[in-house]
């Protein structure tokens, strides 16, 4: 795992069941599932510095892997440095956002460091997601 730069961004796919009526991801979209050791995200700058181009490339990469992206699902776009600073300030917890080594998806990354207080971390991350930082999954 290699740490990603604070100035970069990641996207988290949020299925329709984790998106509210306004199209904004709910807190549960940022909570780790019982079978996850870390919170999966995708590094946008891996593909392109332009957000829209990068989101399209992430979408394509996930679809190529067989991911089931639904029409009402969303991508929440997160600023790496902002996420780390908010969690540190609010919870005193240091998070890491690292690139994973996967041959089938160069953008594959993870938010690492919140197994004990996952719901509190998820709440902090969700608070950072504004409507202008959400994109349709398909």
């Amino acid at each position: 795992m290699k740490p990603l730069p604070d100035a970069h961004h990641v996207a988290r796919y949020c299925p329709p069941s984790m998106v509210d009526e306004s199209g904004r991801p709910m807190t549960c979209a940022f909570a780790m599932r019982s079978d996850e050791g870390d919170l999966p995200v995708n590094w946008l700058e891996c593909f392109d510095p332009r957000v829209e181009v990068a989101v399209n490339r992430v979408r394509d990469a996930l679809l190529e892997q067989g991911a089931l992206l639904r029409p009402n699902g969303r991508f929440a776009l997160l600023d790496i440095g902002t996420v780390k600073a908010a969690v540190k300030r609010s919870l005193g917890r240091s998070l890491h956002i690292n690139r994973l080594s996967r041959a089938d998806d160069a953008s594959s990354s993870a938010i690492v460091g919140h197994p004990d207080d996952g719901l509190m971390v998820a709440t902090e991350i969700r608070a950072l997601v504004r409507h202008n930082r959400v994109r349709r999954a398909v």
Side-chain angles (χ1 to χ4, degrees):
M1 288 192 199
K2 178 182 175 187
L4 295 176
D6 284 354
H8 285 200
H9 307 84
V10 292
R12 168 78 173 160
Y13 174 66
C14 308
S17 63
M18 297 180 184
V19 175
D20 67 21
E21 309 81 42
S22 71
R24 189 170 168 219
M26 297 183 282
T27 299
C28 59
F30 304 101
M32 287 188 304
R33 297 180 194 121
S34 59
D35 62 338
E36 294 175 327
D38 303 312
L39 188 69
V41 293
N42 293 85
W43 176 34
L44 295 179
E45 282 81 0
C46 169
F47 293 120
D48 199 285
R50 297 168 295 175
V51 171
E52 299 309 322
V53 173
V55 169
N56 287 334
R57 296 282 307 277
V58 165
R59 180 181 299 115
D60 294 343
L62 291 175
L63 290 170
E64 285 175 17
Q65 293 171 35
L68 183 60
L69 303 181
R70 302 204 182 263
N72 290 335
R74 299 290 188 267
F75 284 112
L77 309 182
L78 304 166
D79 300 323
I80 293 172
T82 302
V83 168
K84 289 167 52 177
V87 170
K88 181 71 170 175
R89 181 179 56 253
S90 297
L91 305 174
R93 185 76 129 140
S94 293
L95 291 183
H96 305 282
I97 302 178
N98 298 331
R99 180 178 179 192
L100 304 177
S101 297
R102 288 188 50 184
D104 62 338
D105 182 3
S107 70
S108 182
S109 303
I111 299 177
V112 181
H114 62 91
D116 299 336
D117 48 9
L119 188 55
M120 291 186 296
V121 172
T123 301
E124 287 297 320
I125 294 172
R126 194 261 185 192
L128 299 172
V129 180
R130 305 288 183 248
H131 283 287
N132 66 343
R133 304 298 291 164
V134 177
R135 300 296 186 275
R136 290 189 172 276
V138 282

